[in-house]
């Protein structure tokens, strides 16, 4: 357990940031799940709409430091490719 006042304050700050980051991560995962479900249903327009709403959420999480930039770009790229494959 933290003993010094600065360590106690740091522990409080970490607790607050963890809660915020957890909420952001959950929001992004929900959006990604909606895209996955639209792809699974085979509805290309719905999948495109879901991806358009998920993309800014994912990039916002990147700017806040929740996810890595390359991971987000990779996910968007792979989802886009899967949506394109629906029309073929």
């Amino acid at each position: 357990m933290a003993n010094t006042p600065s360590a106690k304050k740091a522990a409080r700050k970490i607790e607050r940031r963890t809660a915020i980051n957890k909420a952001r991560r959950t929001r992004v995962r929900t959006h990604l799940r909606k895209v996955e479900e639209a792809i699974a249903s085979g509805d290309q327009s719905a999948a495109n709409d879901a991806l358009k709403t998920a993309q800014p959420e994912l990039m916002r999480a990147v700017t806040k430091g929740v996810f890595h930039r390359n991971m987000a770009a990779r996910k968007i790229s792979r989802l886009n490719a899967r949506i394109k494959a629906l029309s073929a």
Side-chain angles (χ1 to χ4, degrees), residues 51-61:
L51 184 62
K52 276 185 182 161
T53 59
Q55 195 167 350
E57 263 325 308
L58 196 53
M59 285 308 169
R60 192 170 300 120

Side-chain angles (χ1 to χ4, degrees), residues 4-77:
T4 64
S6 61
K8 288 177 181 176
K9 180 179 179 180
R12 289 194 306 268
K13 285 169 67 175
I14 289 167
E15 199 174 330
R16 280 197 299 269
R17 295 308 313 166
T18 301
I20 292 165
N21 288 340
K22 196 174 184 182
R24 283 200 178 103
R25 199 175 304 116
T26 303
R27 193 177 316 124
V28 169
R29 287 179 180 159
T30 301
H31 278 85
L32 291 176
R33 184 175 40 77
K34 287 179 182 173
V35 177
E36 292 284 348
E37 287 171 356
I39 291 172
S41 71
D43 189 357
Q44 189 178 16
S45 62
N48 261 329
D49 292 341
L51 184 62
K52 276 185 182 161
T53 59
Q55 195 167 350
E57 263 325 308
L58 196 53
M59 285 308 169
R60 192 170 300 120
V62 167
T63 60
K64 301 297 184 184
V66 180
F67 292 120
H68 193 276
R69 178 178 72 251
N70 292 351
M71 186 279 288
R74 185 180 65 237
K75 277 204 177 297
I76 290 169
S77 174

